[in-house]
Amino acid sequence: MSKKFLTDVIVEATGMPASRAGVLAADIIGAIRDEIIDTGRFTLPEFGSFAVRETKPRTALNPRTGEQVKVKAGATVKFKASPNLKQDALAGLKKAKRKAARA
C-alpha cells in the first residue's frame, strides 16, 4: 500500500479534493508512525499489529566474499496479521490459483 493508494481511497470514499486527501493520508501515516515510536506498538483491529522488536548482535556472511561480518544489535518493526486477514488472504490466494489454472 502506498500513500497514493490511501489518497485515492479517501477521495473515492469522501469526494474530498485530492490535495486535501493527500494531506489527510500523510497525517494518518504520521500518526501511526508516531504511535509506534512512542509506545512501540500499533494495532488495527481486523488488520493486524505492528510492534518494535530488538535484534541481537550476530555474525553474518558477506555473500560476495564469504567473509564473516559482525552485525550490531538494533531494532525492527514486525507486523503480525490478524486471524481474519490471514483467512481472507488465504481465500484470495486460493481464488487466484484457481483462476490461473483455468487460463
Side-chain angles (χ1 to χ4, degrees):
M1 179 165 60
S2 65
K3 180 181 165 192
K4 181 176 178 354
F5 173 79
L6 193 56
T7 300
D8 293 343
V9 170
I10 293 169
V11 167
E12 188 176 315
T14 66
M16 180 184 295
S19 60
R20 291 206 50 221
V23 171
L24 180 59
D27 289 345
I28 291 169
I29 293 168
I32 292 170
R33 183 179 184 275
D34 291 344
E35 184 68 15
I36 291 171
I37 291 170
D38 292 344
T39 65
R41 106 177 263 108
F42 179 78
T43 301
L44 283 170
E46 303 295 319
F47 184 71
S49 62
F50 298 87
V52 176
R53 300 279 187 235
E54 291 184 26
T55 59
K56 297 178 182 177
R58 60 187 172 87
T59 302
L61 291 178
N62 180 332
R64 185 172 292 171
T65 63
E67 175 185 354
Q68 289 190 344
V69 180
K70 292 189 183 226
V71 179
K72 296 179 186 177
T76 189
V77 178
K78 298 283 186 169
F79 175 73
K80 181 178 178 187
S82 72
N84 291 341
L85 179 60
K86 287 179 185 179
Q87 180 181 353
D88 294 345
L90 180 60
L93 179 64
K94 288 179 179 178
K95 183 178 179 181
K97 284 183 178 180
R98 285 194 306 267
K99 189 175 183 179
R102 279 188 254 148

